[in-house]
Amino acid sequence: MAKTIWVGMSGGVDSSVAAALLLEQGWHVIGVTLRLRPEGAEQDIEDARRVCGVLGIEHRVLDFTGPFRRCVMDDFVREYLGGRTPNPCVRCNQAIKFGAMLDAALAGGAEGIATGHYARVEPDPKSGRFLLYRTDSKKDQSYVLYGLTQHQLSHTRFPVTGLEKEAVREIARKYDLPVASKGDSMEVCFVPDDCHARFIEEYTGQALRPGDFVDEQGRVIGRHQGIARYTIGQRKGLGAAFGRPMYVVRIDAEKNEVVLGEEGRQLSSALLARGVNYIPFAPPPPHSSPLRVQAKIRYQAPPADATLYPLDNAAARLEFDRPQRSITPGQSVVLYDGDLVLGGGVIDSPAAPAHGKQL
């Protein structure tokens, strides 16, 4: 009897092809679409249902609006109002897709889950741990998967690994799937028109509170329209003229101030990270030997050579060989050794280098 696997089907082409490939491999596939918000996802649910109809597999819709609101949307708003820039996809993967959905799949008798993510999971015969690798694909998504635990990785498959997007679309056309030409979603799924400030105001029922732009000496140089409208490194859209290019270098939520500086002031040589998850090995003891890594401080950033210093309470200090632009609290820093994902955590703050060279 074929083993059962749940495929998280978003209504897009990647997850649809993931389901088709698993069918080819002999799995008993159940397509599962997560309802993550009360309204606005009907078309994606319908697209997933139609794909399941073509493939001849069961389709289920799970209502996760409550957990998604608590774990992802509330966190998104709280982080922005705290002067940070969150990555909701990371939170969703940890708590919802590979958390609540995986739990439901295992409770329902499935072997695990699969998604349309572009990444690779392999067991390590020496350590017995499951390892996560980035792929050569331009669509590599290992950055948003660094927080997965050994339990989650051991029950997860990524069937489109090794394929480029056009090859995935070609498979979809071969199966005559109705989403073969559907475009990719590039926005945060619950933020209409990619306008997070408007979403926060509607979500909280309160207008964002204006405050002061200040320079690095604390002198008031203008007025901002609410700290949630700004992020580290931002130059455009400040809504004020300063006579010279100015960049957001810090956000002080307690004072409701946005600190601006000139070109070069957004560079930092080090950062502190919290909630660090390690994949190939157990968390190293605090203040143990440093690790040489390559680190990405945002999804599209190239990996940068750095040294990792483990600290207490799943924290770490990262010192870069070369200063990095716009290290942003709330974003994730993901650690690599070549293609192997070592893990990652949430950036707590830029920091002055303690062990390496000063700027």
Side-chain angles (χ1 to χ4, degrees):
M1 184 176 179
K3 295 181 179 179
T4 298
I5 192 166
W6 285 17
V7 180
M9 300 188 68
S10 64
V13 65
D14 297 320
S15 55
S16 299
V17 168
L21 293 175
L22 288 167
L23 276 176
E24 287 183 358
Q25 296 169 18
W27 287 88
H28 174 228
V29 177
I30 296 175
V32 177
T33 303
L34 307 182
R35 182 180 291 279
L36 301 178
R37 53 198 193 281
E39 54 188 29
E42 285 72 19
Q43 185 59 56
D44 290 337
I45 292 173
E46 175 60 19
D47 287 345
R49 186 195 65 77
R50 292 168 60 209
V51 168
C52 288
V54 171
L55 295 176
I57 63 176
E58 179 185 353
H59 179 241
R60 300 178 185 177
V61 178
L62 300 185
D63 187 349
F64 282 176
T65 52
F68 186 76
R69 182 182 182 93
R70 292 190 299 272
C71 296
V72 181
M73 298 171 74
D74 286 354
D75 177 79
F76 179 86
V77 171
R78 184 168 51 249
E79 286 285 278
Y80 263 115
L81 294 179
R84 296 174 292 275
T85 304
N87 191 321
C89 294
V90 171
R91 285 285 295 170
C92 183
N93 285 333
Q94 292 172 323
I96 306 300
K97 292 179 182 176
F98 301 91
M101 185 174 77
L102 175 59
D103 291 345
L106 296 177
E111 294 289 315
I113 64 172
T115 70
H117 284 91
Y118 289 77
R120 180 163 54 95
V121 176
E122 290 184 1
D124 180 5
K126 293 183 179 179
S127 67
R129 295 178 72 90
F130 284 80
L131 306 181
L132 176 68
Y133 295 87
R134 64 181 175 183
T135 70
D136 293 333
S137 170
K138 297 176 182 177
K139 291 278 293 178
D140 174 68
Q141 292 170 299
S142 60
Y143 177 88
V144 296
L145 299 169
Y146 75 85
L148 299 190
T149 66
Q150 285 296 299
H151 170 72
Q152 292 168 331
L153 290 169
S154 69
H155 292 286
T156 295
R157 285 172 171 76
F158 300 124
V160 300
T161 293
L163 299 175
E164 291 295 343
K165 190 65 180 228
E166 186 50 43
V168 170
R169 292 195 185 279
E170 186 58 37
I171 294 171
R173 287 190 284 268
K174 182 183 77 171
Y175 278 92
D176 199 25
L177 301 182
V179 296
S181 299
K182 186 175 180 178
D184 293 336
S185 175
M186 303 301 292
E187 301 175 350
V188 176
C189 68
F190 56 87
V191 178
D193 303 320
D194 206 25
C195 184
H196 66 271
R198 185 187 309 126
F199 166 79
I200 291 169
E201 290 182 321
E202 293 176 353
Y203 192 82
T204 61
Q206 297 180 347
L208 295 176
R209 186 162 58 99
D212 290 329
F213 284 125
V214 300
D215 64 18
E216 292 181 276
Q217 289 71 46
R219 293 174 299 215
V220 176
I221 56 176
R223 293 285 287 173
H224 69 69
Q225 299 304 308
I227 61 173
R229 299 182 188 275
Y230 309 96
T231 189
I232 304 300
Q234 181 177 338
R235 179 173 72 86
K236 297 180 179 180
L238 298 180
F242 305 101
R244 62 197 186 282
M246 297 290 278
Y247 300 81
V248 176
V249 297
R250 192 167 69 256
I251 298 174
D252 190 326
E254 187 174 338
K255 295 181 179 179
N256 194 31
E257 291 178 344
V258 177
V259 182
L260 303 181
E262 296 186 40
E263 172 63 45
R265 297 302 300 166
Q266 69 274 50
L267 297 174
S268 300
S269 286
L271 64 81
L272 296 176
R274 54 185 165 83
V276 179
N277 178 58
Y278 297 95
I279 294 176
F281 42 77
H287 312 292
S288 58
S289 298
L291 301 172
R292 288 294 291 170
V293 301
Q294 297 94 52
K296 291 181 64 168
I297 58 171
R298 62 183 60 85
Y299 187 84
Q300 297 293 350
D305 291 330
T307 302
L308 180 78
Y309 297 88
L311 303 175
D312 297 315
N313 301 318
R317 181 185 189 89
L318 199 66
E319 297 193 1
F320 294 93
D321 291 6
R322 294 184 177 181
Q324 299 298 298
R325 181 177 293 270
S326 305
I327 292 176
T328 305
Q331 288 288 288
S332 293
V333 57
V334 181
L335 313 173
Y336 296 86
D337 179 5
D339 290 337
L340 176 65
V341 182
L342 299 177
V346 176
I347 298 171
D348 192 52
S349 64
H355 305 88
K357 296 180 180 180
Q358 297 286 336
L359 268 175

